[in-house]
Amino acid sequence: MRVRSYGSEGPRVIVLHGGPGAPGHMAPVARGLEDRFRVLEPFQRGSGGEPLTVAHHVADLHELAAPLGRPALVGSSWGAMLALAYAAAHPLSAGPLVLVGCGTFDLAARARFKATLDERMDDDLRRRIAALEHDIPDPGRRLAAFGDLLTSVYSFDPLPGDLGFEACDARAHDETWNDMLRLQADGTYPAAFASIESPVLMLHGAFDPHPGSMIRASLVPHVRRLEYVEWERCGHYPWIERHAREEFFGTLRKWLAAATPPAAAPPPP
């Protein structure tokens, strides 16, 4: 995996991008932590060869995380789901988990998510989304453009600028997400999360079309140490929200500082 690093001292944190297959957008979160934490931003495995699975991503993350001594994992959207899957598979290697705008784990929550998107879309947005298939032949570029178009219905009052997605991988997205749906359908998730030993913090915007209260309810029976924080004027990406950005970073930094052990002192010369 390509990995970007931030900060030179403090506890270890790994930030996990969403999508799946949409790397790059966690850079602002990493930069918001780099003065007090040593942060890694991996670009998750892309497509090619055998179809991607959740297990592939868990194995890749374990290769990065295991030598670091239980780093904290901060995941956004799909990245939050990956953090849970990793902590379930490797409970002794995962540190504290932060789930930002976590994705859905049951049919009811997904139906509510889709209904909310439909309610918020106007005819113009629907036309622009429909035109992507013709206007952008490349699937990766089309996925990125689709994500950009959805920002208006995912966000409450976003600050100017784009989310910073780099080259998106549509095949990686489809393969990984289809495997996650398979694992939910066969009952693996969220039941497997009962093995998680780490403390878990959900950070969610009330305007996020992913229904936070429903997602939380699906996790509570399985995740023993779960906290939930929600902001009213906030959508799917709290760090770009005008009314929630400062509270998001304040809450995230404070919770991570309390939940992660101090970094070990370097050995004497």
Side-chain angles (χ1 to χ4, degrees), residues 2 39 57 77 100 114 130 138 144 147 151 179-180 193 217 244:
R2 174 187 172 192
V39 185
H57 293 294
S77 198
V100 185
K114 291 175 181 177
D138 179 76
T151 300
D179 191 54
M180 171 55 78
F193 302 154

Side-chain angles (χ1 to χ4, degrees), residues 37-53:
F37 301 91
R38 288 174 291 171
V39 185
L40 297 179
E41 180 200 4
F43 284 41
Q44 295 155 32
R45 182 193 298 224
S47 60
E50 62 182 336
L52 284 175
T53 64

Side-chain angles (χ1 to χ4, degrees), residues 10-12 38 256-265:
R12 297 280 194 175
R38 288 174 291 171
L256 284 175
T260 52

Side-chain angles (χ1 to χ4, degrees), residues 11-14 33 36-37 70-75 83-84 94-100 196-203 223-229 231 246-262:
R12 297 280 194 175
V13 177
I14 298 175
L33 297 173
R36 294 179 61 182
F37 301 91
R70 305 193 73 174
L73 304 177
V74 178
L84 288 166
L97 311 181
V98 182
L99 318 179
V100 185
I196 294 174
E197 298 186 2
S198 305
V200 181
L201 174 66
M202 285 186 71
L203 299 178
V223 180
R224 295 186 297 275
R225 304 168 63 188
L226 180 65
E227 301 175 57
Y228 184 80
V229 175
W231 295 288
E246 289 189 16
E247 262 194 90
F248 165 73
F249 277 112
T251 300
L252 177 61
R253 288 157 60 92
K254 182 178 179 180
W255 191 86
L256 284 175
T260 52

